[in-house]
């Protein structure tokens, strides 16, 4: 595994990095977890608010994702019982450790989308 053209990792270091990446993807990977976290960056939300915010997610999947995020320390379930039971989900301080990752992924996604659009525009212009 090479970091760049001048730095080479040992086999042990490469394995360690691959394992660390695997661990990270296990915890935050998949289609929905990061979207749930980003939706909660706006502030605490109730279950139905989250489901409306994240288009395409089913109630069952959202419930499972919230449970996994709670188990891994990213989300906290806040229950208020006065006068009716209200359950809100909020991010924990630990979730802030994902901010650089999220910001980088968002930036890369925007750049990638612009690149693809530019390539399509160029390809269409060449066909004409």
């Amino acid at each position: 595994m090479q970091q760049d053209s001048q730095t080479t990792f040992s086999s042990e270091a490469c394995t360690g990095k691959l394992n660390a990446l695997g661990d990270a993807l296990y915890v935050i990977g998949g289609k929905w977890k990061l979207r749930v976290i980003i939706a909660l960056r706006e502030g605490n939300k109730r279950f139905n608010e989250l489901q409306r915010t994240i288009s395409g997610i089913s109630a069952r999947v959202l419930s499972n994702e919230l449970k996994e995020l709670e188990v891994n320390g990213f989300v906290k379930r806040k229950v208020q019982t006065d006068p009716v039971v209200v359950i809100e989900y909020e991010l924990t301080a630990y979730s802030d450790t994902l901010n650089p990752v999220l910001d980088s992924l968002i930036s890369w996604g925007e750049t990638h989308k612009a690149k693809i659009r530019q390539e399509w525009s160029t390809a269409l212009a060449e066909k004409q």
Side-chain angles (χ1 to χ4, degrees), residues 80-121:
Q80 301 169 0
T81 57
D82 241 5
V84 288
V85 176
V86 175
I87 300 171
E88 283 188 331
Y89 294 91
E90 63 181 297
L91 293 177
T92 64
Y94 181 62
S95 71
D96 291 342
T97 62
L98 288 173
N99 285 344
V101 174
L102 292 171
D103 293 340
S104 292
L105 282 171
I106 290 166
S107 177
W108 184 87
E110 291 167 346
T111 301
H112 179 69
K113 191 173 197 173
K115 174 190 177 291
I116 297 299
R117 282 185 175 160
Q118 179 60 42
E119 288 175 359
W120 274 89
S121 294

XYZ file of all heavy atoms in Angstrom, residues 80-121:
341
model
N -38.265 12.839 27.211
C -38.907 13.820 28.085
C -40.309 13.301 28.399
O -41.031 12.883 27.502
C -38.987 15.181 27.404
C -37.644 15.735 27.016
C -37.766 16.959 26.112
O -38.844 17.407 25.774
N -36.625 17.484 25.720
N -40.692 13.352 29.667
C -41.980 12.772 30.061
C -42.971 13.797 30.609
O -43.981 13.421 31.188
C -41.768 11.673 31.121
O -41.076 12.227 32.229
C -41.013 10.506 30.548
N -42.693 15.070 30.453
C -43.580 16.091 31.000
C -44.286 16.846 29.909
O -43.634 17.500 29.114
C -42.760 17.072 31.838
C -43.183 17.127 33.280
O -44.047 16.349 33.683
O -42.633 17.978 33.987
N -45.552 16.941 29.778
C -46.623 16.105 30.305
C -46.832 14.846 29.454
O -47.430 13.883 29.913
C -47.844 17.008 30.245
C -47.594 17.902 29.083
C -46.087 18.080 29.032
N -46.338 14.853 28.199
C -46.436 13.652 27.371
C -45.021 13.163 27.072
O -44.049 13.891 27.197
C -47.183 13.918 26.031
C -48.655 14.122 26.249
C -46.571 15.091 25.298
N -44.926 11.926 26.661
C -43.624 11.365 26.328
C -43.174 11.882 24.960
O -43.884 11.753 23.968
C -43.668 9.818 26.336
C -42.334 9.241 25.890
C -44.049 9.300 27.703
N -42.019 12.506 24.948
C -41.412 13.006 23.714
C -39.996 12.457 23.656
O -39.222 12.605 24.597
C -41.373 14.555 23.685
C -40.642 15.057 22.460
C -42.778 15.120 23.748
N -39.685 11.801 22.545
C -38.351 11.239 22.367
C -37.656 12.003 21.256
O -38.172 12.123 20.149
C -38.415 9.736 22.030
C -39.100 8.983 23.158
C -37.019 9.184 21.761
C -39.419 7.544 22.841
N -36.488 12.528 21.585
C -35.668 13.245 20.611
C -34.309 12.561 20.511
O -33.849 11.932 21.460
C -35.432 14.698 21.040
C -36.586 15.608 20.812
C -36.198 17.062 21.074
O -35.311 17.314 21.900
O -36.802 17.922 20.433
N -33.698 12.730 19.367
C -32.360 12.203 19.152
C -31.420 13.378 19.001
O -31.746 14.375 18.355
C -32.322 11.308 17.912
C -33.159 10.074 18.110
C -34.499 10.057 17.754
C -32.608 8.937 18.701
C -35.280 8.930 17.972
C -33.379 7.810 18.918
C -34.714 7.819 18.551
O -35.476 6.703 18.778
N -30.254 13.269 19.639
C -29.268 14.327 19.555
C -27.878 13.721 19.391
O -27.645 12.571 19.770
C -29.310 15.224 20.791
C -28.958 14.521 22.086
C -29.040 15.453 23.294
O -28.271 16.427 23.339
O -29.871 15.193 24.171
N -26.994 14.496 18.812
C -25.625 14.048 18.652
C -24.881 14.186 19.969
O -25.166 15.083 20.760
C -24.916 14.880 17.581
C -25.428 14.717 16.161
C -24.681 15.660 15.228
C -25.292 13.285 15.683
N -23.942 13.311 20.187
C -23.085 13.388 21.362
C -21.844 14.210 21.020
O -21.577 14.493 19.845
C -22.633 11.986 21.800
O -21.827 11.421 20.747
C -23.816 11.084 22.109
N -21.085 14.565 22.031
C -19.825 15.279 21.800
C -18.877 14.409 20.974
O -18.113 14.923 20.148
C -19.189 15.664 23.129
N -18.947 13.104 21.159
C -18.087 12.193 20.408
C -18.344 12.272 18.911
O -17.427 12.113 18.101
C -18.286 10.753 20.904
C -17.428 9.736 20.194
C -16.041 9.808 20.254
C -18.000 8.710 19.467
C -15.248 8.872 19.605
C -17.222 7.773 18.808
C -15.843 7.859 18.887
O -15.070 6.946 18.236
N -19.575 12.557 18.524
C -19.897 12.649 17.098
C -19.139 13.792 16.427
O -18.924 13.771 15.214
C -21.399 12.806 16.877
O -21.824 14.085 17.284
N -18.723 14.792 17.216
C -17.957 15.910 16.659
C -16.632 15.441 16.061
O -16.079 16.112 15.193
C -17.681 16.977 17.719
C -18.935 17.720 18.143
O -19.946 17.666 17.411
O -18.904 18.355 19.220
N -16.129 14.286 16.511
C -14.875 13.771 15.953
C -15.030 13.401 14.479
O -14.035 13.261 13.773
C -14.361 12.544 16.738
O -15.324 11.477 16.643
C -14.119 12.882 18.206
N -16.271 13.250 14.019
C -16.527 12.935 12.613
C -16.582 14.177 11.725
O -16.606 14.061 10.505
C -17.843 12.168 12.467
C -17.842 10.737 12.958
C -19.252 10.154 12.901
C -16.875 9.889 12.153
N -16.612 15.367 12.312
C -16.766 16.587 11.517
C -15.731 16.726 10.402
O -16.103 17.020 9.266
C -16.791 17.824 12.414
C -18.105 17.963 13.148
O -19.107 17.336 12.792
N -18.114 18.766 14.197
N -14.438 16.505 10.667
C -13.477 16.616 9.557
C -13.734 15.580 8.457
O -13.585 15.890 7.271
C -12.116 16.365 10.219
C -12.321 16.565 11.670
C -13.762 16.271 11.940
N -14.143 14.390 8.845
C -14.447 13.338 7.870
C -15.659 13.740 7.039
O -15.642 13.658 5.803
C -14.713 11.987 8.582
C -15.166 10.922 7.602
C -13.485 11.539 9.357
N -16.716 14.199 7.706
C -17.935 14.604 7.007
C -17.670 15.780 6.072
O -18.100 15.768 4.919
C -19.028 14.966 8.010
C -19.579 13.819 8.841
C -20.491 14.336 9.934
C -20.295 12.822 7.964
N -16.950 16.771 6.571
C -16.668 17.943 5.747
C -15.847 17.557 4.518
O -16.103 18.041 3.411
C -15.959 19.018 6.567
C -16.850 19.609 7.660
O -18.101 19.486 7.556
O -16.306 20.189 8.614
N -14.872 16.664 4.705
C -14.058 16.204 3.569
C -14.889 15.417 2.568
O -14.754 15.606 1.351
C -12.892 15.342 4.059
O -11.973 16.111 4.771
N -15.746 14.533 3.060
C -16.601 13.744 2.163
C -17.570 14.636 1.392
O -17.794 14.434 0.199
C -17.363 12.672 2.942
C -16.572 11.440 3.323
C -17.381 10.567 4.283
C -16.186 10.642 2.086
N -18.150 15.617 2.061
C -19.080 16.535 1.405
C -18.344 17.321 0.322
O -18.816 17.437 -0.813
C -19.750 17.470 2.433
C -20.727 16.674 3.311
C -20.456 18.636 1.749
C -21.187 17.404 4.557
N -17.181 17.842 0.653
C -16.395 18.603 -0.311
C -16.012 17.733 -1.505
O -16.139 18.150 -2.660
C -15.136 19.155 0.370
O -14.328 19.831 -0.554
N -15.556 16.515 -1.235
C -15.186 15.609 -2.315
C -16.401 15.284 -3.179
O -16.305 15.262 -4.403
C -14.568 14.324 -1.771
C -14.103 13.430 -2.875
C -12.895 13.457 -3.493
C -14.864 12.401 -3.524
N -12.850 12.506 -4.482
C -14.046 11.846 -4.528
C -16.156 11.906 -3.367
C -14.479 10.816 -5.357
C -16.583 10.877 -4.200
C -15.746 10.348 -5.183
N -17.552 15.049 -2.558
C -18.776 14.747 -3.295
C -19.177 15.883 -4.217
O -19.586 15.661 -5.366
N -19.066 17.117 -3.729
C -19.387 18.279 -4.564
C -18.417 18.389 -5.745
O -18.829 18.643 -6.882
C -19.348 19.560 -3.717
C -20.462 19.639 -2.703
C -20.276 20.726 -1.661
O -19.166 21.276 -1.530
O -21.264 21.021 -0.956
N -17.126 18.177 -5.472
C -16.113 18.233 -6.530
C -16.341 17.132 -7.561
O -16.265 17.373 -8.771
C -14.700 18.089 -5.919
O -14.504 19.145 -4.984
C -13.616 18.129 -6.981
N -16.641 15.938 -7.082
C -16.865 14.808 -7.980
C -18.088 15.049 -8.871
O -18.048 14.803 -10.075
C -17.028 13.516 -7.183
C -17.279 12.326 -8.037
N -16.323 11.794 -8.873
C -18.394 11.565 -8.207
C -16.820 10.765 -9.518
N -18.077 10.604 -9.128
N -19.157 15.549 -8.271
C -20.371 15.821 -9.039
C -20.107 16.865 -10.130
O -20.551 16.721 -11.269
C -21.486 16.295 -8.107
C -22.839 16.366 -8.745
C -23.886 16.680 -7.693
C -25.261 16.359 -8.192
N -26.273 16.508 -7.140
N -19.360 17.908 -9.777
C -19.020 18.941 -10.757
C -18.156 18.355 -11.876
O -18.349 18.687 -13.059
C -18.290 20.102 -10.079
N -17.235 17.482 -11.528
C -16.371 16.833 -12.524
C -17.199 15.999 -13.496
O -17.025 16.083 -14.710
C -15.343 15.940 -11.828
C -14.481 15.105 -12.750
C -13.668 14.090 -11.936
C -12.844 13.165 -12.783
N -13.609 12.214 -13.566
N -18.103 15.208 -12.970
C -18.950 14.356 -13.817
C -19.829 15.212 -14.722
O -19.976 14.927 -15.910
C -19.798 13.400 -12.946
C -18.894 12.455 -12.151
C -20.809 12.632 -13.778
C -18.010 11.564 -13.011
N -20.413 16.265 -14.177
C -21.249 17.164 -14.994
C -20.430 17.795 -16.123
O -20.898 17.914 -17.247
C -21.872 18.248 -14.127
C -23.046 17.767 -13.338
C -23.713 18.900 -12.598
N -24.908 18.418 -11.950
C -25.498 19.018 -10.939
N -25.010 20.146 -10.469
N -26.585 18.515 -10.399
N -19.208 18.213 -15.778
C -18.335 18.823 -16.789
C -18.002 17.812 -17.881
O -18.034 18.141 -19.068
C -17.046 19.347 -16.140
C -16.083 19.981 -17.121
C -16.683 21.180 -17.843
O -17.364 21.996 -17.233
N -16.447 21.283 -19.132
N -17.697 16.580 -17.504
C -17.381 15.545 -18.484
C -18.577 15.258 -19.383
O -18.423 15.077 -20.589
C -16.898 14.276 -17.791
C -15.512 14.412 -17.190
C -15.075 13.201 -16.390
O -15.849 12.216 -16.273
O -13.945 13.234 -15.863
N -19.771 15.210 -18.811
C -20.985 14.982 -19.604
C -21.217 16.138 -20.566
O -21.556 15.933 -21.729
C -22.196 14.799 -18.692
C -22.356 13.382 -18.240
C -21.809 12.808 -17.141
C -23.104 12.358 -18.894
N -22.172 11.490 -17.065
C -22.976 11.183 -18.133
C -23.879 12.329 -20.048
C -23.589 9.986 -18.493
C -24.492 11.134 -20.396
C -24.333 9.988 -19.618
N -21.036 17.366 -20.074
C -21.231 18.542 -20.934
C -20.244 18.528 -22.098
O -20.620 18.798 -23.241
C -21.043 19.831 -20.133
O -22.047 19.953 -19.168
